[in-house]
Structure formats: C-alpha cells, structure tokens
C-alpha cells in the first residue's frame, strides 16, 4: 500500500477472508479509498464467510464500493438467481450510502438485465487482450466494450473494474504481450479515461508469479510493478 500510495486514489481487493480482510483497513489508514470484493465460487461455505466479512467491513467503515462476486457467471460457478440472492443480502445489510455491484465481463450486463436492476453501480471488466485484439486497435475496442456496458446500464454509473495488457507471455491471436505494448496500452487508457471522466481500475498493481495456471505464462505479467515491487516503466 505504501508503494501504491503516491500513484493512486483507490485500491481494489478481490476477497474478504484469509488475510485479504486487512487490505481495506490498511488502505483507509493511508487515505486510499477501497472497492472491496467478496470472492464467490461454487463453495457455499466459503461464500458465506466472504459475504459476512464484506458486510462486517462495510459496517465498520472500510468499504467505499462493495463488489459481490467477480466473474462468477463467466466461470459458471453460480446460477444467476444464486448470485442475485447474495447481492440482495449484502445490499440489505450494509449502509445505504455504500454503492453495491457485481463485477463481470462487460457483455454480461447486456445478457442479464437483472444484474443491472439489482446493482447500484455497473462494474465492468474490459480486456481487448483476451479477445485477441492487436495493440493498435485495442483502445478503440475497449471504448466499444465500455459503450456496450453503458448502454446496458440504463443510466447507472459504469466503472471499468479491470483492464490491462501483459508485458510477457504467449500471444492470443493478434494480441501480443510485450513491454512496449503494455506501456502503450496503459498510457492510452489513462489519457482516454481522464479526458472523458471515466472511472477505472487498472489491472494490476504487481506481477503475480502464482497466476500461471488457467491463464498460462501470460497470467504472471499484468503488473505495473514486477514481482519484486519495482516499477517496470
């Protein structure tokens, strides 16, 4: 958090158990706002722990935006109705002034208008890389993703909750990981969102060496800082 503090006003966390519950507390201690996520999966017992911890953190004043689940529908971990039940549970239990939403790929909000109806804010992940888009077309592609989420949002605020480009790893169709491409994508994203007053979280802060399973080698190289907490650029 001390490393990130000079560069950002917000930090996003993905879980509320197993030590992750300390992230929003430390962030608030350093004057950084928080989007705090409960990690939901097909493990119902852990889901209850996550939800209860998110509610507790929100009621204790450590949550500025509450995110109930991340890409749960994309992974087919829960049904839409199960997810909505968790969202309703959190909305009912936390202070009214804290916005609550669910994070998923931008197109899920077009496919499931019920998500929009039960969200205070639309939390959309936008990754041209994962759709095989070449770097030279990536900004335009992300703008289209955002516009699709905006159209589905019915006037509610849309926040880009994840976008980024890996600096190393295997190419996906026309999307090629490279240090210069990652830096170019970051700069394009920052300039566009600042110019149009769009709120976004950039993925990610630090390289994550462990994240090479389902995503392959590329999963470890999305950070603006490397695994040793040194700025890459």
């Amino acid at each position: 958090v001390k490393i990130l503090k000079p560069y950002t006003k917000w930090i996003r966390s993905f879980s509320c158990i197993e030590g992750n519950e300390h992230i929003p507390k430390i962030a608030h201690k350093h004057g950084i706002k928080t989007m705090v996520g409960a990690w939901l999966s097909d493990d119902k017992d852990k889901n209850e722990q996550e939800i209860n911890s998110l509610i507790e953190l929100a009621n204790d004043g450590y949550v500025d935006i509450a995110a109930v689940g991340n890409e749960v529908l994309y992974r087919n971990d829960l049904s839409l109705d199960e997810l909505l039940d968790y969202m309703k549970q959190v909305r009912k239990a936390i202070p009214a002034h804290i916005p609550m939403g669910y994070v998923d790929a931008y197109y899920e909000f077009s496919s499931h208008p019920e998500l929009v109806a039960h969200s205070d804010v639309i939390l959309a992940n936008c990754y041209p890389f994962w759709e095989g888009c070449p770097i030279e077309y990536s900004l335009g592609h992300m703008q289209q993703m955002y516009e699709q989420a905006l159209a589905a949002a019915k006037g509610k605020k849309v926040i880009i909750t994840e976008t980024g480009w890996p600096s190393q790893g295997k190419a996906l169709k026309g999307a090629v990981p490279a240090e210069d491409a990652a830096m170019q994508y970051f700069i394009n994203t920052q300039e566009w969102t600042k110019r149009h007053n769009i709120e976004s979280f950039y993925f990610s802060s630090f390289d994550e060496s462990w994240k090479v399973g389902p995503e392959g080698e590329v999963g470890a190289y999305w950070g603006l800082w490397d695994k040793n907490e040194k700025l890459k650029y």
Side-chain angles (χ1 to χ4, degrees), residues 36-168:
V36 182
W39 184 265
L40 301 180
S41 66
D42 55 4
D43 185 331
K44 302 295 173 62
D45 291 337
K46 272 202 165 179
N47 288 352
E48 283 302 321
Q49 293 174 34
E50 289 274 4
I51 292 294
N52 290 335
S53 183
L54 175 58
I55 290 168
E56 184 179 341
L57 286 165
N59 286 322
D60 287 346
Y62 296 112
V63 177
D64 296 291
I65 298 173
V68 184
N70 181 72
E71 297 186 342
V72 174
L73 298 179
Y74 175 78
R75 295 192 305 272
N76 291 315
D77 280 353
L78 295 173
S79 70
L80 178 61
D81 286 341
E82 287 172 320
L83 173 61
L84 290 173
D85 284 344
Y86 286 124
M87 292 172 70
K88 292 172 190 174
Q89 182 183 344
V90 172
R91 179 64 282 167
K92 192 175 176 181
I94 68 173
H97 70 273
I98 301 174
M100 184 278 307
Y102 160 69
V103 181
D104 213 326
Y106 65 98
Y107 51 77
E108 295 287 357
F109 299 96
S110 305
S111 305
H112 304 292
E114 304 95 327
L115 285 176
V116 175
H118 289 282
S119 297
D120 303 312
V121 61
I122 307 309
L123 306 174
N125 291 347
C126 300
Y127 280 117
F129 179 88
W130 288 122
E131 295 190 1
C133 180
I135 187 65
E136 56 265 35
Y137 306 118
S138 58
L139 180 61
H141 193 42
M142 178 171 57
Q143 290 167 343
Q144 290 175 340
M145 293 171 165
Y146 175 76
E147 290 296 332
Q148 183 174 332
L150 205 60
K154 307 295 184 193
K156 293 182 177 179
K157 181 194 278 191
V158 176
I159 297 174
I160 298 173
T161 35
E162 288 177 39
T163 195
W165 199 275
S167 59
Q168 291 184 51

